[in-house]
Amino acid sequence: MGGLLTLMRYSKPYLTIPEQRELLERRGMTVADPAKCEEYLRRIGYYRLSAYWFPFRQLSQNPEGTHTLANNFKPGTTFKNATDLYAFDKGLRLIVLDAIERIEVSVRTEFALAMGSISPLAHRDRNNFNRRFSQFAPPRTQSMYQGWLQKLDEKAANSNEEFAEHFRTKYAREIMPIWIAVELLDFSPLSIGLSQLKHQQQQAIAASYGGISFRLIQSWIRSLCNVRNICAHHSRLWNKPVINQPAIPRRGEAPDLDHIATAPDTNKRVYATLAVMRLLLKEINPRTRWATRLKGHVATFPNDAPNISLKDAGFPDNWHQLPLWS
């Protein structure tokens, strides 16, 4: 029937490591060192590595003029092309995680300061957040705020962190103040709480980041949550479309980002995320050498591999010479 999804039966057979290598060769991939190829397949896995030979697969044209990704590889593709790209992406994820850690710690502190300025338990009063945080409609049985607070309470009651156990022991009948409780929030619920602050607290946080619009800050933090999850799960990052794309400032709103303000769909690739992280780090730690490390790593991109380019990750020409990266 029209509109119904046709279900397919999975029928691919189990393949041993040598059979996996032979399959790649039959599909047109050059394997210069079979033993090393099999070592990679055993240590990393066929499926994980397949994300890195994806750009090297051929396109086949359908009768109606559309294209389908074929199993065969483009001429000149080598197994080393895929493993070089894998190694580059692994290094990129580590550099990104380092920046996100610094940003997360900073945002956590700013959230605690903004709420703590109201009262030690300001986070337990829904009136200290935007009204929509407390609203809900059937079939939901609780508001976002109630769910957020419930998860925080569960963390406070069950966390094995030393500071949490110490607080439960010494202050058994007390509720954690926000500047302690905030340390129990994972990055995602932290970003949710941040986005629901009232205007006065939003402006205080924006001021601490050099006056960057809070509209941009909350969008960037939400986007970085997704990027962090990609890195934490060791997934491909370098050319993956970004979910929850970071908002791009209007021209002149953040001059260091003007070079991406007018480029179409620029925030759908990782470069825009890297640029946002760089801008935040300039405010958080002006002396950081993170940008230098990133530029050094990007210089190792395997440019000799056919059919891939840094443009696939959203990098503009001569990006490293822009004021943002100086």
Side-chain angles (χ1 to χ4, degrees):
M1 294 177 63
L4 293 180
L5 181 67
T6 301
L7 298 179
M8 297 180 64
R9 186 178 182 84
Y10 189 85
S11 58
K12 294 182 180 180
Y14 168 84
L15 297 178
T16 64
I17 297 297
E19 287 172 337
Q20 293 174 17
R21 187 255 304 161
E22 291 168 0
L23 176 63
L24 293 174
E25 291 178 307
R26 287 198 305 273
R27 291 177 172 176
M29 180 181 283
T30 298
V31 178
D33 187 336
K36 192 170 185 178
C37 172
E38 292 181 14
E39 178 188 342
Y40 270 100
L41 290 170
R42 185 176 301 279
R43 180 160 53 88
I44 301 172
Y46 184 101
Y47 190 75
R48 184 174 296 278
L49 281 172
S50 69
Y52 297 95
W53 60 63
F54 193 90
F56 305 114
R57 290 167 60 183
Q58 293 185 7
L59 289 176
S60 60
Q61 187 168 351
N62 301 317
E64 62 273 18
T66 59
H67 290 82
T68 302
L69 201 62
N71 289 322
N72 292 338
F73 295 103
K74 297 172 182 176
T77 299
T78 69
F79 186 74
K80 188 175 184 299
N81 293 151
T83 55
D84 284 350
L85 198 52
Y86 172 84
F88 171 81
D89 196 48
K90 180 180 179 180
L92 179 64
R93 291 195 305 269
L94 291 174
I95 291 172
V96 167
L97 275 175
D98 176 47
I100 291 179
E101 178 187 355
R102 301 185 198 194
I103 293 168
E104 179 180 350
V105 169
S106 172
V107 170
R108 196 182 300 279
T109 301
E110 293 298 336
F111 183 83
L113 290 171
M115 295 301 287
S117 68
I118 301 172
S119 77
L121 301 180
H123 61 298
R124 307 199 66 86
D125 184 350
R126 62 182 178 83
N127 293 313
N128 290 324
F129 294 92
N130 285 325
R131 289 175 57 186
R132 62 179 177 274
F133 202 24
S134 301
Q135 295 172 347
F136 68 94
R140 290 173 56 185
T141 58
Q142 61 178 194
S143 66
M144 285 181 61
Y145 170 69
Q146 289 172 316
W148 181 84
L149 194 60
Q150 179 179 325
K151 289 179 180 178
L152 180 57
D153 286 345
E154 290 171 356
K155 289 265 192 178
N158 301 311
S159 174
N160 293 325
E161 293 282 356
E162 289 184 6
F163 73 87
E165 292 180 341
H166 171 77
F167 188 91
R168 289 195 299 266
T169 301
K170 189 170 184 179
Y171 307 101
R173 297 184 180 181
E174 298 291 323
I175 298 174
M176 283 186 183
I178 185 57
W179 47 83
I180 297 179
V182 72
E183 297 298 330
L184 297 172
L185 287 174
D186 293 332
F187 201 18
S188 181
L190 175 64
S191 73
I192 291 172
L194 182 79
S195 68
Q196 299 300 323
L197 292 176
K198 286 195 167 182
H199 181 73
Q200 182 176 348
Q201 283 68 48
Q202 291 179 359
Q203 295 308 110
I205 290 175
S208 70
Y209 290 109
I212 299 172
S213 165
F214 188 82
R215 170 186 66 86
L216 295 174
I217 292 173
Q218 66 175 353
S219 168
W220 296 350
I221 299 305
R222 184 173 63 249
S223 181
L224 291 182
C225 286
N226 292 107
V227 173
R228 180 188 179 280
N229 289 339
I230 290 172
C231 295
H233 290 91
H234 322 298
S235 299
R236 187 184 89 254
L237 175 66
W238 82 277
N239 69 338
K240 179 177 281 188
V242 175
I243 300 173
N244 276 341
Q245 293 94 357
I248 299 300
R250 293 180 289 271
R251 194 166 187 84
E253 191 175 11
D256 277 349
L257 297 183
D258 277 353
H259 66 289
I260 61 175
T262 57
D265 298 328
T266 188
N267 60 344
K268 292 184 178 179
R269 297 292 175 179
V270 71
Y271 174 78
T273 303
L274 296 172
V276 161
M277 288 192 288
R278 168 59 176 156
L279 193 66
L280 289 172
L281 286 176
K282 286 177 72 173
E283 297 296 333
I284 295 169
N285 183 3
R287 293 179 297 279
T288 179
R289 295 186 58 80
W290 181 82
T292 301
R293 290 171 49 221
L294 176 69
K295 287 188 288 185
H297 180 69
V298 173
T300 70
F301 182 78
N303 287 303
D304 57 333
N307 310 302
I308 62 170
S309 163
L310 280 171
K311 290 185 182 296
D312 300 330
F315 283 80
D317 293 333
N318 301 317
W319 66 277
H320 54 286
Q321 297 177 355
L322 295 167
L324 174 66
W325 299 103
S326 62

